[in-house]
Amino acid sequence: MSPSSNPLSLSNSGSSQSDILLQNEISEKHSQDTLLHSGESPSSQLLHEDTRSTKAPHDRSAGRDVHIFDASDRSTSIGGLILTAGVTNANLYNMIEIIAFFDGEYILQNESGIAIEKDNSTLLPGNYYINSSHPIHMNNEVILTRMISQQSGTRVQSFRDAVRSRDRRCVITREVALSADRGRWDGFEAAHIFPLAFERLWNEYNYSRWITNPLYGEEIKGGKINSVQNGLLLRSDIHQLFDTYTVSINPDDNYKIVCFDCDGKGIAGTYFDQRPLDDPQRPAEQLLRWHFRQAVLVNMRGAGEPVFEHDFPPGSDIMGSILEGPKAAERMEFELFSRMATEFDLTQ
């Protein structure tokens, strides 16, 4: 089994020189702060030590009841998922074809060696074995880490207003914003499908080509990444699940809602609200497909990506925790953008 890269995947481009300098400056500042604290009283040192999280982020394999193996190595799982409502045999085949590439035909078999049909039968818990006479290549497509320490809100007002006007409700739960006519949108947020913090990659891979609505053209404030076609109105709690790839939408299965963790919202296996899909400014299908691919890779490939803490108590050393943890560069880039963007008008 070998790693392989999809030509449509995002390369792991380095940060710009200014980003690197800024991150180094923060690292240096963090080191200076640590030295400063070392000269304080023992009680104050203890307080500073306690503000930094020392608990390692856990992966997403805990709780899986579907496990995927290469039939030639039945002792090592190459992936899996937590089974929720609505997942079918055909869905599993499609997900496997996201986390791995094949040089030829293959079939899935269960523990008893029975072939699993690629149909709409409900997927059952258990072990599944990929049987192929050709090598299996694991997809090494880059994951864009989106977890930040707190929600910072939408960056461009015109984007928020356009998403609100089109959707008028959470497009996943279908809960209506009842007080919207009075200007009250409490509990609802305009979410970017492709994260605004990674606009550099958006531009590098020309994802603007998926923004097709001629009403906006080149005049979108803040750039095409802020097109309403890259947005969804979501309930605040669903927004967080969407940003962490815990919930996604599969545009190739009638826009089915897929949950990659235990579903306490009753949304797994339901379908995306039809109203935005009938709108000329509908969410771009290609962007929803990109998000779904990311969600599959984050949750199903290998042990899954780390799950990071996001709710830090007051006084916590958030930056220190990020710098000492995995994926520090990606998380720092996202965190810095999210914090700094609130200080500037991105439409200028």
Side-chain angles (χ1 to χ4, degrees), residues 30-329:
H30 173 64
S31 299
Q32 292 172 351
D33 287 345
T34 303
L35 290 173
L36 177 63
H37 297 333
S38 66
E40 297 174 353
S41 65
S43 59
S44 63
Q45 286 187 48
L46 180 59
L47 288 174
H48 289 299
E49 290 169 1
D50 285 347
T51 62
R52 188 178 310 167
S53 173
T54 58
K55 183 179 180 181
H58 58 83
D59 61 44
R60 301 182 186 231
S61 63
R64 284 178 177 173
D65 46 10
V66 170
H67 304 274
I68 304 165
F69 298 84
D70 181 344
S72 63
D73 181 6
R74 298 171 71 92
S75 63
T76 305
S77 172
I78 63 172
L81 79 157
I82 296 172
L83 189 59
T84 57
V87 180
T88 66
N89 290 344
N91 291 152
L92 181 61
Y93 270 93
N94 293 335
M95 291 170 175
I96 287 174
E97 289 163 15
I98 291 174
I99 68 172
F101 304 124
F102 300 88
D103 293 332
E105 297 295 322
Y106 74 96
I107 60 170
L108 282 178
Q109 296 175 322
N110 64 15
E111 191 76 54
S112 301
I114 299 173
I116 305 300
E117 297 295 330
K118 191 176 184 178
D119 58 22
N120 289 325
S121 299
T122 299
L123 182 67
L124 300 177
N127 294 342
Y128 292 87
Y129 301 89
I130 301 171
N131 197 320
S132 174
S133 58
H134 301 277
I136 300 174
H137 308 282
M138 297 304 295
N139 183 358
N140 65 357
E141 185 171 331
V142 173
I143 301 300
L144 298 189
T145 304
R146 299 179 68 151
M147 176 52 70
I148 57 176
S149 61
Q150 58 185 11
Q151 294 285 357
S152 303
T154 304
R155 304 293 182 268
V156 180
Q157 182 175 337
S158 59
F159 167 81
R160 181 200 67 189
D161 293 345
V163 171
R164 285 176 172 178
S165 177
R166 183 196 63 196
D167 294 348
R168 307 286 295 180
R169 68 189 68 210
C170 173
V171 295
I172 288 181
T173 67
R174 304 196 184 195
E175 181 178 340
V176 177
L178 295 175
S179 300
D181 291 337
R182 302 196 305 275
R184 296 287 302 272
W185 294 87
D186 308 48
F188 294 86
E189 297 172 353
H192 284 82
I193 302 170
F194 186 97
L196 184 57
F198 294 109
E199 186 173 10
R200 173 173 53 83
L201 293 176
W202 169 280
N203 292 329
E204 183 177 344
Y205 290 92
N206 190 28
Y207 282 10
S208 294
R209 69 187 185 276
W210 293 334
I211 304 302
T212 59
N213 193 299
L215 296 177
Y216 285 79
E218 299 296 332
E219 302 301 321
I220 303 172
K221 291 184 178 180
K224 284 191 174 184
I225 196 171
N226 285 297
S227 165
V228 66
Q229 291 188 279
N230 186 35
L232 304 171
L233 189 66
L234 299 176
R235 215 168 63 188
S236 300
D237 57 335
I238 303 298
H239 186 180
Q240 186 178 75
L241 297 177
F242 186 81
D243 275 2
T244 58
Y245 304 110
T246 304
V247 170
S248 193
I249 301 152
N250 186 358
D252 298 315
D253 190 14
N254 296 318
Y255 293 85
K256 183 190 290 181
I257 310 302
V258 181
C259 292
F260 291 92
D261 201 352
C262 300
D263 174 27
K265 314 289 184 182
I267 57 177
T270 62
Y271 292 88
F272 189 86
D273 187 14
Q274 184 64 37
R275 294 169 185 81
L277 299 179
D278 294 334
D279 194 292
Q281 303 173 51
R282 60 184 288 153
E285 177 181 300
Q286 297 92 335
L287 292 174
L288 290 173
R289 184 174 295 111
W290 173 86
H291 185 276
F292 182 71
R293 285 180 59 85
Q294 288 273 296
V296 169
L297 291 168
V298 163
N299 291 283
M300 293 184 60
R301 180 175 60 185
E305 293 294 304
V307 179
F308 298 106
E309 181 59 72
H310 69 279
D311 187 7
F312 291 89
S316 296
D317 184 1
I318 300 173
M319 296 302 179
S321 297
I322 292 174
L323 289 170
E324 292 185 350
K327 292 184 174 289

